[in-house]
Amino acid sequence: MKSHREYLWFNTDKRMEIVNITEQVREVIKQSKIQEGLCLVNAMHITASVFINDAESGLHQDFKDWLEELAPHEPVSQYRHNTFEDNADAHLKRQVMGREVVVAITEGELDFGPWEQIFYGEFDGKRDKRVLVKVMGE
Ligand code: ZN
């Protein structure tokens, strides 16, 4: 069995951002030369997510509005976590949107449903953060 690992780096302009990383993941799979296997993509930070959904900007705004309603950033004093930090809301948002995705690789390609795309969800941005891509198979 072969395995291949790479990091994707992000430093978003905004505190909360959704970034389509499908092409970057495809590129890692291509480099791995793995034809049949699995691809794990996970955020390496506890205030960011990796998830699969539709590449539709209205939906992305819906996600942001919904998350902000569930766990508003302000006032930061409402959270017990925010004694030395101000990112409690980002931890909660990440928990809702998930840590990772696993996608099957078939004939060297991501074996997606019709509208599936992979996204990086940033909830405490403006600093360097990593995503792990690990490809395993034959
Ligand atoms: Zn924190």
Side-chain angles (χ1 to χ4, degrees):
M1 193 192 66
K2 284 194 284 191
S3 83
H4 182 84
R5 181 182 70 165
E6 268 187 50
Y7 296 115
L8 309 177
W9 286 87
F10 300 92
N11 189 329
T12 60
D13 292 337
K14 292 185 210 115
R15 187 178 163 76
M16 179 155 51
E17 228 168 278
I18 294 174
V19 184
N20 190 336
I21 60 170
T22 311
E23 285 315 310
Q24 284 163 280
V25 175
R26 274 205 179 102
E27 193 50 44
V28 175
I29 292 168
K30 207 168 133 188
Q31 285 164 18
S32 77
K33 303 210 187 325
I34 287 167
Q35 290 296 302
E36 298 294 325
L38 292 173
C39 178
L40 165 76
V41 187
N42 69 266
M44 301 197 84
H45 302 263
I46 52 181
T47 53
S49 292
V50 172
F51 62 95
I52 290 180
N53 218 298
D54 196 357
E56 197 277 306
S57 59
L59 179 66
H60 293 184
Q61 194 55 51
D62 291 336
F63 276 132
K64 290 180 198 166
D65 294 348
W66 178 63
L67 289 167
E68 200 52 36
E69 218 175 283
L70 280 175
H73 177 58
E74 305 273 357
V76 294
S77 60
Q78 72 189 302
Y79 300 104
R80 288 179 196 86
H81 178 66
N82 287 344
T83 45
F84 301 102
E85 292 187 290
D86 68 351
N87 66 359
D89 65 302
H91 289 280
L92 298 175
K93 286 163 177 149
R94 173 263 168 76
Q95 206 60 33
V96 169
M97 297 303 280
R99 171 183 181 262
E100 81 278 302
V101 300
V102 177
V103 184
I105 300 167
T106 304
E107 295 174 359
E109 300 283 345
L110 289 164
D111 203 337
F112 272 155
W115 298 103
E116 289 187 316
Q117 300 268 297
I118 307 172
F119 298 93
Y120 174 66
E122 175 63 80
F123 309 115
D124 185 19
K126 304 179 189 178
R127 54 200 179 92
D128 290 336
K129 288 167 107 169
R130 280 186 302 177
V131 163
L132 172 70
V133 184
K134 180 120 184 179
V135 190
M136 297 176 81
E138 295 292 333

